[in-house]
Amino acid sequence: MKETPLSNCERRFLLRAIEEKKRLDGRQTYDYRNIRISFGTDYGCCIVELGKTRVLGQVSCELVSPKLNRATEGILFFNLELSQMAAPAFEPGRQSDLLVKLNRLLERCLRNSKCIDTESLCVVAGEKVWQIRVDLHLLNHDGNIIDAASIAAIVALCHFRRPDVSVQGEEVTLYTPEERDPVPLSIHHMPICVSFAFFQQGTYLLVDPNEREERVMDGLLVIAMNKHREICTIQSSGGIMLLKDQVFRCSKIAGVKVAEITELIQKALENDQRVRKEGGKFGFAESIANQRITAFKMEKAPIDTSNIEEKAEEIIAEAEPPPEVVSKPVLWTPGTAQIGEGIENSWGDLEDSEKEEEEEGGIDETVILDDTKMDTGEVSDIGSQGAPIVLSDSEEEEMIILEPEKSPKKIRAQTSANQKAPSKSQGKRRKKKRTAN
Amino acid sequence: MAGLELLSDQGYRIDGRRAGELRKIQARMGVFAQADGSAYIEQGNTKALAVVYGPHEIRGSRSRALPDRALVNCQYSSATFSTGERKRRPHGDRKSCEMGLQLRQTFEAAILTQLHPRSQIDIYVQVLQADGGTYAACVNAATLAVMDAGIPMRDFVCACSAGFVDGTALADLSHVEEAAGGPQLALALLPASGQIALLEMDSRLHEDHLEQVLEAAAQAARDVHTLLDRVVRQHVQEASILLGD
């Protein structure tokens, strides 16, 4: 299914709002949406919510033989899935451009920055190493997938515990969690991606764009950083032209945001650790189930209510008075009536103008018109006698032509008995003249 | 890699260059007769070929046509013999897909695509030998090929990579310097306006050093521009002599 296109009105509205430094969800330019991290019962499983964007992260491990050129290093593998569950426009099982871009960005952010000590994942050099696999699933798409995914990946990695192994001579023993406590991975630092959306050729900049904003943006700059203010990845995308100063400004903002997010992650991890140690309840069932509806929940937004009364009065004073309410049906012209609220209807005017036009056009038909008037008068008479014609307006010339095949004949028969009345051919001639006019 | 000294006390790099020095660049335009535009570039030992077809009618599904501008289609492939280890497939893996995307993005920004609505421009790049700075070589070769095809652009797009070792920014990294695992930054610049068409960075670099590295890469890109400009002028001169003006 194709994505519903954004209408021009909506596009203009969004851009206008951005120009006025306003965002639809009430955030400031540099604000993130609310971040929520919840953990599953297993180690290495988490859901990260960034506003309405949700990403599920799951880490798993396996003993494999190492790559030939890196005999003493463990293997890290990242995979992000964009399922149709998240948005109807995603196609399952296809490597779209977006997916390639996101996957490579994650790889570069987490693997190339060496945030995980891969040498500690070696069991027997050249024989057995741990392969750590990070699977990320996008559950709901509301923009800024990369930030949510990078947070989910690093949180899942921090939360993960691998089974302990011991090597005695040639023998490798793998311990179950009951025998020995599983060990955490050694993580040097936590790189986190921060996205900046650019609008109007780089004039306006927003942090953490949501889906709507992503649709109207010109380009995106992603900066991954850790809390020591070390840049791990920079990637610009979209057809924007950046200037050096913009890059520096973004890196400064990213530094602040990353510090905030890192703190949040650490708090969440500690919290989960404590709950597990105390033997309390944990897992998704605990953290998510009490909200029945999760996709369309409304988030609380702070609203300034200090001078709301004055504002309301101002608006009322400025506004136009509402149109008069008509409680009884009013008949403006025959055939049109009005009841209730609304603007005065203009159907009556329309008919008047038509009438005028007709009269203007029909000057040279007057002789014939006279005939028809007499004719229609007759018709109405007949109508009262049981024929299907009920109309009695004076200028129904077309009526004769529009009649079903039978009735005009009938009329002719009757009228010819009374007087030398206009024939069908006359009616036709009249019609021709009309069209000529 | 601990024993490898990337920058000596005297300020020389492994291959004898100074910190801000580029490798030798040689380039030629119009190397193929069949294509609308083509170019070949050597940056040190990195060798790349670029071929441009278009602007022509949309190939494949018509629905891809854009009503207001041209579609830029880029394909990157590197020869199986281009690296130290033999590659299995020349293209189709994640890395080359990404490279193709980045090239497309760079040239969508640089080519005046709105002049050719509902048409398509194909850029095919082939790396024959990869010795560091493949992205930069590809962009530089493609710029020349696009110019050879006579497609209007805002400006040259000049790309260069830069690294950071012991408090010094190094321009135009070779394969050995890249493999050492330090930070690397790739930059595609429009030299006249100083606008950045693409910026990409890997590995860890402290924020405070970003300016220094970015400046080194920008300076190197401007140097590349002077060289490419000379190549274009020379090519035009030769072509005009051949035409008998």
Side-chain angles (χ1 to χ4, degrees):
Chain A
M1 197 173 109
K2 260 200 165 177
E3 186 172 45
T4 5
L6 206 63
S7 68
N8 285 342
C9 304
E10 234 170 327
R11 186 178 295 273
R12 271 200 299 274
F13 171 67
L14 281 165
L15 288 173
R16 178 82 181 280
I18 289 159
E19 271 172 36
E20 289 172 8
K21 311 253 177 223
K22 281 173 187 155
R23 296 175 81 167
L24 294 191
D25 39 14
R27 283 184 284 161
Q28 295 294 312
T29 320
Y30 301 141
D31 281 357
Y32 252 86
R33 286 171 284 178
N34 284 341
I35 301 173
R36 227 181 87 112
I37 301 168
S38 34
F39 296 97
T41 26
D42 285 344
Y43 280 118
C45 183
C46 70
I47 287 183
V48 170
E49 289 171 52
L50 182 62
K52 282 175 193 163
T53 301
R54 300 167 139 231
V55 176
L56 169 79
Q58 170 74 58
V59 181
S60 51
C61 65
E62 189 182 4
L63 277 173
V64 293
S65 46
K67 284 180 183 163
L68 285 175
N69 53 347
R70 300 223 163 115
T72 59
E73 286 183 23
I75 300 168
L76 269 176
F77 184 79
F78 297 92
N79 190 39
L80 173 68
E81 291 278 333
L82 303 178
S83 66
Q84 276 197 300
M85 193 200 307
F90 295 139
E91 288 173 49
R94 201 179 139 258
Q95 288 280 316
S96 64
D97 286 355
L98 176 72
L99 188 57
V100 170
K101 198 180 90 181
L102 292 173
N103 266 321
R104 274 293 295 163
L105 208 52
L106 273 176
E107 261 178 32
R108 283 171 37 204
C109 167
L110 291 158
R111 191 198 285 151
N112 296 7
S113 67
K114 302 197 177 64
C115 69
I116 288 170
D117 182 13
T118 44
E119 292 200 347
S120 72
L121 295 172
C122 177
V123 181
V124 183
E127 300 261 322
K128 280 275 173 280
V129 294
W130 284 110
Q131 185 193 44
I132 306 290
R133 195 187 153 93
V134 184
D135 282 295
L136 299 162
H137 286 263
L138 185 66
L139 303 181
N140 191 39
H141 173 38
D142 190 32
N144 207 1
I145 303 169
I146 186 63
D147 289 15
S150 85
I151 296 171
I154 197 71
V155 169
L157 283 168
C158 288
H159 192 244
F160 182 65
R161 304 281 184 275
R162 68 173 167 83
D164 202 4
V165 282
S166 70
V167 186
Q168 284 176 324
E170 292 281 286
E171 210 170 290
V172 179
T173 331
L174 192 72
Y175 297 101
T176 58
E178 287 78 32
E179 288 170 329
R180 274 197 198 179
D181 276 344
V183 286
L185 306 172
S186 66
I187 289 166
H188 296 312
H189 61 103
M190 303 208 296
I192 289 159
C193 291
V194 179
S195 310
F196 299 89
F198 287 89
F199 300 87
Q200 313 265 335
Q201 289 307 311
T203 330
Y204 301 100
L205 176 147
L206 292 182
V207 174
D208 182 26
N210 64 22
E211 200 246 348
R212 283 291 147 95
E213 287 160 347
E214 272 186 357
R215 290 236 214 145
V216 296
M217 73 182 174
D218 289 332
L220 191 73
L221 178 73
V222 180
I223 298 184
M225 232 190 221
N226 60 22
K227 69 171 176 191
H228 312 296
R229 287 175 56 239
E230 286 171 321
I231 300 170
C232 301
T233 303
I234 299 182
Q235 176 74 55
S236 71
S237 54
I240 40 155
M241 295 292 185
L242 287 170
L243 290 172
K244 252 190 270 171
D245 298 339
Q246 289 173 324
V247 178
F248 297 141
R249 201 172 73 182
C250 288
S251 82
K252 286 214 173 63
I253 300 165
V256 178
K257 291 291 154 199
V258 165
E260 285 170 13
I261 296 170
T262 313
E263 202 175 311
L264 192 95
I265 291 174
Q266 259 152 3
K267 235 180 244 169
L269 283 167
E270 274 165 28
N271 204 22
D272 182 68
Q273 207 70 28
R274 206 192 57 230
V275 171
R276 272 169 208 264
K277 205 177 265 175
E278 286 168 0
K281 289 178 175 175
F282 54 87
F284 290 141
E286 281 311 307
S287 53
I288 295 175
N290 51 4
Q291 278 176 313
R292 281 281 169 80
I293 299 164
T294 51
F296 290 103
K297 65 179 181 201
M298 292 291 281
E299 270 168 30
K300 279 179 197 163
I303 296 172
D304 180 26
T305 52
S306 51
N307 57 347
I308 199 138
E309 274 185 29
E310 292 154 38
K311 262 191 187 171
E313 270 167 23
E314 223 171 84
I315 291 168
I316 291 167
E318 277 177 18
E320 283 177 36
E324 242 175 276
V325 176
V326 191
S327 54
K328 276 182 193 168
V330 179
L331 206 68
W332 298 110
T333 46
T336 60
Q338 187 184 7
I339 187 166
E341 285 182 62
I343 311 164
E344 187 181 318
N345 99 22
S346 54
W347 279 49
D349 305 344
L350 206 79
E351 280 195 354
D352 285 343
S353 64
E354 260 181 17
K355 219 183 264 176
E356 278 161 27
E357 264 174 35
E358 264 163 25
E359 267 155 28
E360 274 169 33
I363 296 164
D364 48 358
E365 296 177 46
T366 38
V367 189
I368 310 158
L369 265 172
D370 274 350
D371 277 354
T372 42
K373 266 177 194 160
M374 281 162 66
D375 177 15
T376 45
E378 287 293 323
V379 166
S380 62
D381 281 350
I382 298 157
S384 61
Q385 281 162 24
I389 314 129
V390 207
L391 283 156
S392 60
D393 255 325
S394 59
E395 40 147 271
E396 245 52 50
E397 308 167 352
E398 294 102 321
M399 194 188 73
I400 301 168
I401 304 152
L402 285 174
E403 280 311 302
E405 197 69 39
K406 228 180 165 184
S407 48
K409 277 181 192 165
K410 210 175 170 186
I411 299 159
R412 213 195 309 162
Q414 295 227 348
T415 44
S416 59
N418 281 353
Q419 44 173 251
K420 288 125 228 165
S423 66
K424 201 180 174 187
S425 64
Q426 225 174 353
K428 267 188 184 167
R429 201 173 64 212
R430 235 178 286 131
K431 193 189 166 196
K432 265 181 202 162
K433 272 194 181 171
R434 267 184 144 254
T435 46
N437 286 328
Chain B
M1 286 291 180
L4 206 62
E5 193 186 38
L6 292 177
L7 194 67
S8 73
D9 297 336
Q10 286 77 33
Y12 288 105
R13 288 151 73 175
I14 290 174
D15 46 11
R17 284 185 285 160
R18 290 217 173 257
E21 204 176 323
L22 295 175
R23 290 176 289 177
K24 185 178 184 182
I25 294 182
Q26 281 184 304
R28 271 180 78 180
M29 291 166 79
V31 287
F32 296 125
Q34 187 69 44
D36 292 320
S38 58
Y40 171 70
I41 199 164
E42 283 182 19
Q43 284 185 264
N45 283 329
T46 303
K47 298 178 177 110
L49 268 172
V51 168
V52 171
Y53 290 97
H56 57 71
E57 218 177 317
I58 294 269
R59 302 260 158 83
S61 69
R62 282 289 157 92
S63 57
R64 290 192 307 155
L66 305 167
D68 55 340
R69 61 203 158 93
L71 179 87
V72 181
N73 174 35
C74 284
Q75 204 179 66
Y76 164 88
S77 62
S78 77
T80 48
F81 48 80
S82 63
T83 48
E85 284 168 62
R86 197 176 170 81
K87 282 181 73 179
R88 274 202 214 100
R89 309 201 290 179
H91 53 81
D93 56 327
R94 268 190 193 172
K95 251 186 198 167
S96 25
C97 281
E98 192 203 21
M99 188 73 102
L101 277 178
Q102 287 175 347
L103 283 173
R104 187 171 100 192
Q105 184 200 323
T106 313
F107 283 95
E108 266 179 358
I111 294 174
L112 295 169
T113 47
Q114 68 273 23
L115 296 182
H116 306 285
R118 289 183 294 281
S119 49
Q120 180 179 351
I121 297 167
D122 291 315
I123 302 174
Y124 299 113
V125 185
Q126 169 94 42
V127 170
L128 301 178
Q129 190 173 342
D131 185 32
T134 40
Y135 170 75
C138 289
V139 169
N140 295 336
T143 307
L144 292 180
V146 171
M147 288 195 169
D148 189 34
I151 296 168
M153 294 210 284
R154 275 173 236 282
D155 194 2
F156 279 81
V157 200
C158 298
C160 200
S161 58
F164 190 74
V165 173
D166 304 332
T168 320
L170 308 180
D172 195 14
L173 300 181
S174 69
H175 177 66
V176 182
E177 286 162 336
E178 275 185 2
Q184 3 169 335
L185 179 136
L187 171 82
L189 190 76
L190 276 72
S193 54
Q195 288 173 316
I196 299 167
L198 185 116
L199 177 68
E200 190 197 349
M201 209 199 73
D202 267 341
S203 293
R204 269 190 286 171
L205 175 74
H206 198 273
E207 197 194 339
D208 297 345
H209 303 308
L210 178 67
E211 187 165 3
Q212 196 186 342
V213 179
L214 201 60
E215 186 45 54
Q219 184 53 46
R222 281 194 285 273
D223 292 346
V224 170
H225 172 239
T226 11
L227 286 164
L228 295 187
D229 190 60
R230 202 179 296 160
V231 171
V232 174
R233 279 177 202 284
Q234 198 181 346
H235 176 76
V236 173
Q237 214 165 22
E238 278 170 17
S240 62
I241 288 167
L242 285 177
L243 286 172
D245 290 334

